Amino acid sequence: MNKHLLSIDDVSAGDIQEIFTTAAEMHDVQNRQVKKLPALRGRTVINLFFEDSTRTRSSFEIAGKWLSADVINLSAKGSSASKGESLRDTVLTVTAMGIDGLVVRHGASGAAEQISRWIDVPVINAGDGTHEHPTQALLDGYTLTRRLGTLEGKHVAIVGDLTHSRVFRSNVKSLTKLGATVTAVAPPTLMPAGVGDWSKAAGFATSYDLDEVLPQADAVMMLRVQRERMSGGFFPTAREYTVGYGLTRDRLAVLEPGTPILHPGPMNRGLEISADAADALDSLVLDQVSAGVAVRMSVLYHLLAGEETSA
Ligand code: NCD
C-alpha cells in the first residue's frame, strides 16, 4: 500500500480488499462495550479541516480514538489560517509538533497531494475540492460489498450533481476496480466536462435519463446538489431538478425490490432524495455512516501502524 491515501489511484484492487478485511474486524469493535484496540497507542493524528464536515471529521476522530491514537481536531475557523497563515506554514507547524499522520480536508482540488510533498508523515485526503474523497468511496464500496456479497458484475447508478462531486470521482475509480459497472446519471449541466473520455474506461457509461437507468441498477447512489460550489443556475428550479433527477416515491417503485440506496450525506431531503427513499428499508445511509468508522480505522491502521513514530 502507498504511504499516503490521496486518491483511489493510491490503492490497488488487492489493497481495497485488504482494507475491507481489516474493516470487517474493526466493525466488531463497534458492538463492544469497551471500544478500544491498542493498535495506534502512542501515535498522534491531526484532523485538519478547512471545510465544514459532520460525519467525515467525527468518523476519523472516533476511528483514531478507538485505535488508541491521540487525535486532535483543527478547523480553519479558529486557526491561524484565518489570520492569513499560508497552507504550507500551517501544515509545517502542526507537523513540527511530532505527529504521525495528517487527515486533511480542503476546498482546493489537489491540496492533499500538495501537502504530502511538504511533509514526511502519511497524509489522508478527507476531501479536496471537487477532486477526490477516497475514504468515502472505500466505505461506500465496503457497505455495498457487505450487502451484495460481491461487486463483480454489479451495476451501480450514481446520480446527482456529479460536476461538483469528489465522492463521484473516487467512487467511479473504486467501484470499477472492484469489478462493478457504473452509470453516471445527471442533467447535462451537472455532468463533468470531459466525462466522455472516462467512458472509454471499462465499465463506465453516462446517461441523462434516470428513468431508463433505474430498473437496471443493482444499487443506486444519490449525491447531494452542492449549492455552495455553484455559481449561477445549473438547473431552472429545485422542483424541476427533483422531477428529472430526484429519487422520488414514484421512482422507488421502479427499482427492483431490495435494491440498496446510498447517499453519503448530508442529504437534501425533498430535492435529490425523498424522505420515502432516505428512510426506506433498503436505504443504507446509516450503514454507510457506521461503516465509515470501521473503514477509517482500517485505513489509519494500514497507513500508520507500521510507520516509525516521528516523535
Ligand atoms: C461529501 C463531501 O463532503 O464530499 N460528504 C461526506 O463526506 N459525507 C458529500 C457532500 O458534501 O455532498
Side-chain angles (χ1 to χ4, degrees):
M1 219 166 289
N2 271 2
K3 172 174 177 151
H4 307 287
L5 180 60
L6 307 171
S7 152
I8 291 294
D9 298 334
D10 288 322
V11 283
S12 64
D15 292 335
I16 296 177
Q17 295 296 356
E18 212 178 307
I19 289 169
F20 289 180
T21 304
T22 311
E25 289 163 22
M26 302 295 186
H27 221 142
D28 293 336
V29 175
Q30 229 157 348
N31 303 318
R32 290 196 206 156
Q33 207 169 15
V34 179
K35 300 181 181 63
K36 271 289 186 216
L37 295 175
L40 295 182
R41 195 165 55 198
R43 309 294 164 97
T44 302
V45 179
I46 288 194
N47 288 334
L48 184 58
F49 276 63
F50 291 92
E51 272 190 349
D52 295 344
S53 169
T54 304
R55 60 221 93 211
T56 305
R57 204 188 73 175
S58 45
S59 174
F60 267 113
E61 182 177 359
I62 293 172
K65 286 184 169 166
W66 287 357
L67 290 171
S68 304
D70 292 303
V71 182
I72 286 95
N73 288 317
L74 270 181
S75 60
K77 284 184 205 113
S79 79
S80 294
S82 58
K83 296 184 191 165
E85 186 173 62
S86 72
L87 177 62
R88 186 164 184 271
D89 283 334
T90 303
V91 165
L92 292 181
T93 300
V94 298
T95 310
M97 294 180 192
I99 61 168
D100 304 287
L102 187 68
V103 177
V104 66
R105 169 170 285 194
H106 197 282
S109 300
E113 189 186 335
Q114 179 68 264
I115 289 170
S116 75
R117 294 199 214 110
W118 293 329
I119 62 178
D120 211 28
V121 299
V123 176
I124 299 173
N125 181 6
D128 61 328
T130 58
H131 177 228
E132 282 221 36
H133 191 354
T135 59
Q136 179 68 46
L138 291 173
L139 76 89
D140 293 335
Y142 174 83
T143 307
L144 268 180
T145 304
R146 275 170 80 101
R147 173 63 178 256
L148 299 176
T150 171
L151 297 189
E152 200 67 52
K154 295 292 185 333
H155 176 213
V156 183
I158 306 185
V159 187
D161 176 1
L162 307 182
T163 291
H164 300 103
S165 181
R166 51 201 180 200
V167 176
F168 165 63
R169 287 175 179 75
S170 288
N171 257 303
V172 171
K173 292 181 183 174
S174 154
L175 293 172
T176 52
K177 273 188 189 186
L178 293 168
T181 58
V182 173
T183 302
V185 187
T189 48
L190 292 173
M191 190 68 86
V195 83
D197 297 337
W198 306 16
S199 317
K200 293 179 197 131
F204 181 78
T206 61
S207 170
Y208 300 139
D209 188 345
L210 181 56
D211 294 308
E212 196 177 85
V213 174
L214 281 184
Q216 303 151 18
D218 295 307
V220 183
M221 182 183 295
M222 302 306 297
L223 296 178
R224 185 172 65 90
V225 173
Q226 302 195 24
R227 293 182 198 266
E228 78 280 14
R229 295 192 207 276
M230 292 182 186
S231 51
F234 282 80
F235 46 85
T237 62
R239 168 105 194 103
E240 255 176 83
Y241 182 85
T242 305
V243 168
Y245 296 93
L247 192 54
T248 56
R249 182 191 295 180
D250 288 348
R251 288 204 171 99
L252 272 186
V254 178
L255 290 174
E256 284 291 320
T259 305
I261 299 162
L262 293 90
H263 192 304
M267 294 187 279
N268 291 310
R269 282 179 184 250
L271 182 56
E272 73 266 2
I273 190 165
S274 61
D276 299 88
D279 303 328
L281 267 182
D282 295 311
S283 163
L284 297 183
V285 170
L286 294 177
D287 301 71
Q288 289 171 273
V289 176
S290 142
V293 177
V295 167
R296 290 182 174 116
M297 286 173 84
S298 172
V299 166
L300 286 171
Y301 174 78
H302 282 288
L303 295 191
L304 300 187
E307 282 279 313
E308 287 295 308
T309 49
S310 58

